Amino acid sequence: YTLSLHDALPIWRRNLKHLSPALRAITLVSNLTLQQSRMQLPDLPNQLDHSRLQGQSPYVINAGWYMQNDSATLQASLLYNVFGPRVFAIGSAFYASTAELPFHSLDALGSWRFTKRCTAQFGVQNLLNEQVRMVLDINRDGHFNTSDALVKRYRPGTCVTAGIRVQLSH
């Protein structure tokens, strides 16, 4: 088995106070990972001779917007993530490989400390509620996209949370 990591770009982080003092509470972050793998499979009858690693995406992009006021009583963030097509099941000579197509997600989080010991929190996960799509690589080119046969799709749903956190001791 061989794994080759081609590029991994570090996190980029930038506070916006240089644009205006009013923006000092806002920070932007992002990172990009580019990766490629090639797995040599055992020489078995009706088995493919190589494949990408199962579950590995050729790219992952993360980005975030963070806001925190000077007194830290108010905090908010908006987080974005997308990953590239990833192998779900490695195929054989008789059955093509299955993959999950790119999935975009957006999460929002916020909190407000209204007393020294009490904080209200709110969160929404998967605001976009995009479809998860699984495809079969019918042309067996190893590239998974919307022209491949759709075998499954579903929406994972959006999750909303809210609560109050009380700190009982220091």
Side-chain angles (χ1 to χ4, degrees):
Y1 302 97
T2 59
L3 170 64
S4 160
L5 182 63
H6 285 272
D7 292 295
L9 303 177
I11 291 176
W12 175 83
R13 182 181 180 108
R14 185 71 174 175
N15 184 281
L16 300 184
K17 67 183 172 188
H18 68 285
L19 296 175
S20 166
L23 297 176
R24 73 177 174 271
I26 298 174
T27 301
L28 301 176
V29 298
S30 68
N31 75 317
L32 166 68
T33 302
L34 303 172
Q35 50 199 355
Q36 183 178 348
S37 65
R38 181 179 170 97
M39 182 173 61
Q40 198 65 37
L41 298 170
D43 187 18
L44 297 171
N46 305 319
Q47 180 66 47
L48 299 174
D49 62 347
H50 68 277
S51 173
R52 291 189 328 196
L53 286 176
Q54 182 180 4
Q56 183 186 35
S57 297
Y59 62 87
V60 177
I61 299 170
N62 295 295
W65 169 89
Y66 295 91
M67 188 280 302
Q68 179 176 336
N69 67 355
D70 289 337
S71 62
T73 58
L74 216 63
Q75 296 180 0
S77 61
L78 192 60
L79 308 168
Y80 169 77
N81 171 268
V82 63
F83 58 80
R86 55 187 179 193
V87 175
F88 175 75
I90 297 171
S92 68
F94 301 111
Y95 197 77
S97 294
T98 305
E100 181 179 0
L101 293 181
F103 180 78
H104 301 263
S105 69
L106 186 65
D107 299 340
L109 305 165
S111 68
W112 171 51
R113 192 180 72 221
F114 56 95
T115 72
K116 191 174 182 177
R117 295 181 185 217
C118 295
T119 304
Q121 298 176 313
F122 179 77
V124 182
Q125 291 179 302
N126 195 23
L127 276 161
L128 303 175
N129 196 21
E130 187 173 87
Q131 284 187 350
V132 172
R133 297 167 296 159
M134 307 294 282
V135 296
L136 197 59
D137 186 21
I138 54 174
N139 61 3
R140 297 177 184 254
D141 65 355
H143 301 286
F144 303 99
N145 53 52
T146 55
S147 65
D148 289 317
L150 183 67
V151 292
K152 182 177 184 176
R153 68 177 168 196
Y154 64 93
R155 292 190 189 277
T158 298
C159 179
V160 177
T161 59
I164 294 183
R165 188 179 73 209
V166 178
Q167 184 180 354
L168 298 177
S169 63
H170 291 288

